[in-house]
Amino acid sequence: MLCVRFRPLRGMYVGQSERNQEKAFAAIRALAPVVVIVDESDQAEGGNRDSGGGDSGVAERMRASSFNFWADNALRGRVLRIDSTNRVDLIDSAMRRSGRTDIKIPILMPDEVARKQIFEVVARKHKLASAISDFTPFARRTPGFTGSDIELALTTAYRFALREGATAVTDAHLTAALDDFIPESRDQASIDHMTVLALDECRNRRLLPGNAEAIRREIEARRAARTA
């Protein structure tokens, strides 16, 4: 598999940003069929046109060029673009419309079942020798943890095991790692806001989590409690 990583398109000289963008588009056409992954896509192509800017129109020109490129029917079936973002509302609505972005998959904070699966996947990913037969108790005690939080906790448990000369991570090691771990401070209101945005943006019922309505009710209850 060939992986090509583009440098940042923005340049400091007049016209450089637009030239870099055109080179990237030409490379995508030449490599097709190809998958293009755009991380933090709310920051790509100049962001949202309503956000303003003082770049002499560079962002607007790049945005217009991007809209034209990704709306080209000749790319259909040959170029798959995958965007990831925490703030879908900051992506220009013209880029989010059908024809440019057809499928939108909400990826929410992991629930207990998902956290258990993440523990298992991380252990396999890092090839960690584990004597833990069931991660359910650890998934139960980690509400609000992201995948990266779980990965850090599990790799910390592995370091604890190595320090003791153990051959495998045990329940005691992971318990100690979780006791030691200080989760990143996260604003629940912001998480709720991004969750609702993700659910609202999805256009396929089959891609919504089965408990989507329950999630909405929980968020509404928290909002009501905050304003009471």
Side-chain angles (χ1 to χ4, degrees):
M1 178 182 293
L2 175 65
C3 178
V4 178
R5 184 183 298 272
F6 291 110
R7 294 178 299 175
L9 300 182
R10 290 299 189 100
M12 62 184 295
Y13 301 110
V14 175
Q16 185 178 13
S17 300
E18 294 93 326
R19 286 194 296 273
N20 289 343
Q21 185 184 47
E22 288 305 315
K23 288 179 181 178
F25 289 161
I28 291 170
R29 289 187 185 277
L31 291 170
V34 66
V35 176
V36 179
I37 299 176
V38 184
D39 192 22
E40 301 292 347
S41 58
D42 50 284
Q43 303 299 319
E45 288 111 15
N48 192 310
R49 74 186 78 187
D50 297 327
S51 60
D55 57 2
S56 302
V58 173
E60 186 59 36
R61 290 193 295 274
M62 292 182 69
R63 189 182 298 113
S65 179
S66 180
F67 291 165
N68 290 333
F69 179 79
W70 293 109
D72 186 353
N73 286 329
L75 300 180
R76 282 187 171 270
R78 294 182 53 77
V79 178
L80 173 63
R81 170 171 168 152
I82 301 175
D83 292 78
S84 64
T85 178
N86 288 329
R87 290 295 305 272
V88 67
D89 57 319
L90 297 183
I91 299 176
D92 197 290
S93 58
M95 181 58 74
R96 284 158 31 209
R97 72 167 176 79
S98 298
R100 294 192 179 106
T101 305
D102 293 334
I103 299 175
K104 302 166 188 176
I105 305 173
I107 301 176
L108 310 182
M109 290 287 283
D111 59 13
E112 183 178 318
V113 173
R115 291 194 299 274
K116 177 178 181 292
Q117 294 171 340
I118 293 171
F119 273 113
E120 295 167 347
V121 168
V122 169
R124 291 197 300 270
K125 170 186 172 182
H126 292 285
K127 298 181 173 61
L128 302 180
S130 173
I132 302 173
S133 59
D134 185 8
F135 284 102
T136 300
F138 301 104
R140 192 171 295 132
R141 66 166 291 185
T142 50
F145 274 49
T146 64
S148 58
D149 291 336
I150 292 172
E151 183 169 22
L152 178 57
L154 197 50
T155 53
T156 299
Y158 181 64
R159 288 195 293 272
F160 286 174
L162 289 178
R163 189 172 61 191
E164 293 182 359
T167 58
V169 176
T170 65
D171 291 65
H173 295 132
L174 185 50
T175 297
L178 290 174
D179 289 342
D180 177 68
F181 185 73
I182 301 175
E184 180 182 344
S185 177
R186 296 185 178 93
D187 178 23
Q188 185 61 52
S190 296
I191 294 174
D192 288 345
H193 176 63
M194 290 187 287
T195 298
V196 171
L197 287 174
L199 294 175
D200 287 346
E201 194 69 22
C202 182
R203 292 294 175 266
N204 301 91
R205 288 188 175 86
R206 61 187 170 83
L207 298 178
L208 287 169
N211 61 340
E213 290 307 313
I215 292 172
R216 289 183 185 275
R217 288 194 296 270
E218 290 174 4
I219 290 173
E220 287 303 317
R222 282 195 292 269
R223 286 176 172 174
R226 284 194 292 267
T227 57

